[in-house]
Amino acid sequence: MRDQFLLKQYINTLESAALCARLSPNGNIRWMSSSLHKLLDIHYLKQTTAFSAFLHQDNRNDIMDAIKQATDSGEAWNGSLCLNSNSRSNWCRCMAIPLYGTDGHLTELVLLFQDISREMYLDELLHEARFDQVTGLATRVDLLNDLKRVGTQCLAVMDIRKFRSYADYYGLEFGDELLRQFSHWASETLKSKHVKIYRLYSDKFALIPDFRMIPNLFEDHLLSFYQSLLSKKFVIGSSDIALDVAIGMGVGRGKQLQLAESALSKAKVIYSGYKIEVVYEKEFMNENKVNWIPKIQSALTDHRFVNYYQPIKSTKEGQPSYYEALVRLRDNNHDLAPGLFLDKAKATRYYCEITRSVIEQAVLTSEQYQVAISVNLSIEDILNEETVSFIHYVLAEHKKAQLIFEITETESTEDFTKIQSFAKDVRRLGGQIAIDDFGVGYSNFSRLIRLRPDYLKIDGSIVQNVLHDPTSASILNGLISICKELRIPIVAEFVENEDVNTYLCDQQIEYLQGYYIGKPSPEVNRVLN
């Protein structure tokens, strides 16, 4: 008698603690444990309540059909299902056990549940970490795992040139749809080449081969992909969008992503996808043996940042030519190009000090030779209050200096507002404004009209390709037409040979710059070539 009493208490304890329920043959709930009551957040249960009422409607019918099919066959059913409560949904693993009477008919269905909501939530988080929500591409998490699994020495990083212009002009939804279409097309195009694409962030993607491909073959595949992109247009609504990309490739036994990022930085300033920039591990390690920060600090202290000046030649009689100031770091008997140190300086406060050094030298040179000199400014410079105050002071104190400030077009609306304010102050003090690297993107034109710069420098990729690329020629003709209407003189960079020079003169471009016109020199020549 005592054993039966203890057994009954034991059964009651298990039933109250476990997530379980008993159903009638027609699927109504006869009994539900206390724990299941709490999970579903219900306080009162009618005898006629159907179990299916608690199943998520998306798979309710499928679950009930599967359970019925199992019980008709005299078997238990195992599976996962989603139970809806008054306040939330709960994922459970479920076992449905049929009980039969002596006549063989189903008398009751016992359901045992295991709450797996936390596991499902963690799976969702893992899936979100592994796969990008906009494009569906694998992310950096899978990239790092696949790098180890494949053991490849090659990795490329690809950046869509001036992608944010589309989002600024058309809106974020348009930008997301463009990313989706590009990602799907790129994934399918690269699949045949045994190359997988991953989204890193924003408009930046990583590419790796799916086996240990030799670097030369991987580079050939990247070039082939770029050629395919040139003839591809993405249709969104009534807009046909042609994209351009910069691609950097890293080769090494380790740090492939870092190597590729370094190569991408070089690719972005070359203005051509016809050549994939490649950085090898050995080369990278040799370059980065130098600790640039102390060297930069020392050069500022000793005034060893020097200006080189590249001529910008007017194509019209009576129009004065001018020069662009380009910084170099004088190290013993060598003058080092900015590509070696400027990116390192950007992460420090020394970057804006270098800019101020360039401006100071440009002012004195302009006054001495009575020529206009342009100085490059980044958005970091314009956002630096000390640098802006220095520019205001220089313009106010050196009235005879002729300074032009070249600003690389920013894709941020907030930054553009700062540029507008900066340009207004500079003009009030006698300076001029030029927009650099213009010609790629769609937000440019509305901002061009609002800013009305004194000069417009065309993106170098257009000039380099203008003789053999009809699209570049069409863009150039469009820019010429718009600038003539707005009365903004155009400066064409990267004029490297006589054929390009002749073509641009025929198109009545106002100013030309490039090695064909003259190379950068530490001395300003008063007579241009």
Side-chain angles (χ1 to χ4, degrees), residues 166-375:
Y166 299 103
D168 281 350
Y169 188 80
Y170 291 105
L172 293 177
E173 291 184 4
F174 185 97
D176 285 348
E177 178 59 26
L178 184 56
L179 279 177
R180 273 190 289 270
Q181 288 195 24
F182 171 77
S183 300
H184 177 74
W185 174 83
S187 181
E188 291 299 313
T189 303
L190 292 165
K191 187 184 296 183
S192 62
K193 307 178 189 302
H194 299 283
V195 175
K196 189 173 179 181
I197 182 171
Y198 307 77
R199 188 182 183 194
L200 295 178
Y201 55 87
S202 185
D203 58 332
K204 188 172 287 187
F205 301 83
L207 311 168
I208 65 169
D210 58 16
F211 64 91
R212 297 189 68 178
M213 191 180 292
I214 60 173
N216 288 345
L217 179 58
F218 185 55
E219 186 177 355
D220 287 344
H221 285 328
L222 296 178
L223 283 169
S224 174
F225 170 80
Y226 184 80
Q227 292 286 352
S228 299
L229 180 62
L230 290 180
S231 59
K232 173 67 179 175
K233 290 193 184 302
F234 300 93
V235 181
I236 303 176
S238 59
S239 302
D240 291 351
I241 305 298
L243 295 178
D244 189 22
V245 296
I247 303 175
M249 171 180 159
V251 181
R253 296 186 179 277
K255 300 183 178 179
Q256 292 98 330
L257 190 56
Q258 186 178 357
L259 298 175
E261 290 277 10
S262 175
L264 180 65
S265 297
K266 296 180 180 181
K268 283 184 174 181
V269 299
I270 288 179
Y271 304 106
S272 176
Y274 290 100
K275 180 179 183 298
I276 306 297
E277 281 298 306
V278 183
V279 170
Y280 293 89
E281 186 174 14
K282 185 176 180 180
E283 167 194 333
F284 181 82
M285 296 305 292
N286 288 336
E287 284 183 2
N288 286 274
K289 283 180 180 178
V290 178
N291 188 347
W292 283 101
I293 302 304
K295 190 178 284 289
I296 290 169
Q297 188 178 20
S298 171
L300 282 168
T301 302
D302 299 337
H303 304 285
R304 286 188 287 105
F305 282 105
V306 297
N307 284 4
Y308 272 48
Y309 298 94
Q310 185 172 25
I312 299 174
K313 181 181 178 181
S314 172
T315 59
K316 294 187 176 181
E317 293 183 8
Q319 287 289 103
S321 302
Y322 68 99
Y323 292 83
E324 179 179 358
L326 303 167
V327 68
R328 300 289 188 268
L329 191 159
R330 185 154 288 168
D331 187 39
N332 295 322
N333 296 322
H334 301 283
D335 289 344
L336 305 180
L340 293 173
F341 60 83
L342 212 52
D343 282 343
K344 280 81 175 177
K346 277 190 175 182
T348 72
R349 62 181 175 84
Y350 301 124
Y351 177 74
C352 290
E353 291 188 41
I354 295 171
T355 298
R356 294 195 286 272
S357 170
V358 172
I359 294 171
E360 185 177 15
Q361 294 176 64
V363 167
L364 298 176
T365 302
S366 176
E367 287 184 326
Q368 179 183 353
Y369 291 97
Q370 296 181 4
V371 293
I373 294 178
S374 67
V375 176

Side-chain angles (χ1 to χ4, degrees), residues 261-509:
E261 290 277 10
S262 175
L264 180 65
S265 297
K266 296 180 180 181
K268 283 184 174 181
V269 299
I270 288 179
Y271 304 106
S272 176
Y274 290 100
K275 180 179 183 298
I276 306 297
E277 281 298 306
V278 183
V279 170
Y280 293 89
E281 186 174 14
K282 185 176 180 180
E283 167 194 333
F284 181 82
M285 296 305 292
N286 288 336
E287 284 183 2
N288 286 274
K289 283 180 180 178
V290 178
N291 188 347
W292 283 101
I293 302 304
K295 190 178 284 289
I296 290 169
Q297 188 178 20
S298 171
L300 282 168
T301 302
D302 299 337
H303 304 285
R304 286 188 287 105
F305 282 105
V306 297
N307 284 4
Y308 272 48
Y309 298 94
Q310 185 172 25
I312 299 174
K313 181 181 178 181
S314 172
T315 59
K316 294 187 176 181
E317 293 183 8
Q319 287 289 103
S321 302
Y322 68 99
Y323 292 83
E324 179 179 358
L326 303 167
V327 68
R328 300 289 188 268
L329 191 159
R330 185 154 288 168
D331 187 39
N332 295 322
N333 296 322
H334 301 283
D335 289 344
L336 305 180
L340 293 173
F341 60 83
L342 212 52
D343 282 343
K344 280 81 175 177
K346 277 190 175 182
T348 72
R349 62 181 175 84
Y350 301 124
Y351 177 74
C352 290
E353 291 188 41
I354 295 171
T355 298
R356 294 195 286 272
S357 170
V358 172
I359 294 171
E360 185 177 15
Q361 294 176 64
V363 167
L364 298 176
T365 302
S366 176
E367 287 184 326
Q368 179 183 353
Y369 291 97
Q370 296 181 4
V371 293
I373 294 178
S374 67
V375 176
N376 290 285
L377 292 182
S378 68
I379 190 61
E380 288 88 354
D381 294 314
I382 294 174
L383 296 177
N384 185 282
E385 292 182 4
E386 190 174 350
T387 298
V388 172
S389 296
F390 177 77
I391 291 171
H392 291 171
Y393 169 79
V394 164
L395 291 174
E397 293 295 317
H398 297 266
K399 300 290 187 182
K400 293 183 179 180
Q402 305 169 54
L403 290 189
I404 303 164
F405 295 97
E406 291 187 17
I407 304 168
T408 300
E409 188 212 7
T410 175
E411 296 172 358
S412 166
T413 303
E414 181 180 353
D415 291 348
F416 183 74
T417 303
K418 298 278 188 182
I419 290 174
Q420 279 186 300
S421 176
F422 173 80
K424 182 179 178 181
D425 291 338
V426 164
R427 287 194 177 111
R428 177 175 53 81
L429 293 167
Q432 292 182 303
I433 296 294
I435 292 183
D436 199 9
D437 297 342
F438 189 91
V440 179
Y442 285 80
S443 68
N444 304 351
F445 296 105
S446 62
R447 293 180 176 185
L448 178 65
I449 294 170
R450 288 159 59 192
L451 190 61
R452 291 294 179 98
D454 302 288
Y455 301 89
L456 185 74
K457 300 191 78 171
I458 300 176
D459 187 274
S461 61
I462 297 173
V463 178
Q464 284 187 317
N465 300 326
V466 72
L467 294 182
H468 58 265
D469 180 19
T471 301
S472 294
S474 297
I475 293 173
L476 178 62
N477 290 332
L479 289 174
I480 292 172
S481 176
I482 291 170
C483 287
K484 283 188 183 301
E485 187 174 336
L486 297 175
R487 296 182 180 178
I488 301 172
I490 291 178
V491 182
E493 299 180 284
F494 287 83
V495 181
E496 307 296 334
N497 56 61
E498 184 176 354
D499 291 340
V500 172
N501 180 79
T502 302
Y503 177 86
L504 295 173
C505 288
D506 291 342
Q507 300 302 313
Q508 299 182 337
I509 298 291

Side-chain angles (χ1 to χ4, degrees), residues 52-65 80-84 89 91 124:
S52 59
F54 294 99
L55 293 175
H56 195 282
Q57 61 182 4
D58 289 348
N59 54 11
R60 178 181 297 160
N61 294 333
D62 292 339
I63 294 293
M64 296 307 297
D65 288 346
S80 297
L81 47 80
C82 184
L83 294 176
N84 286 332
S89 295
W91 278 96
E124 286 179 10

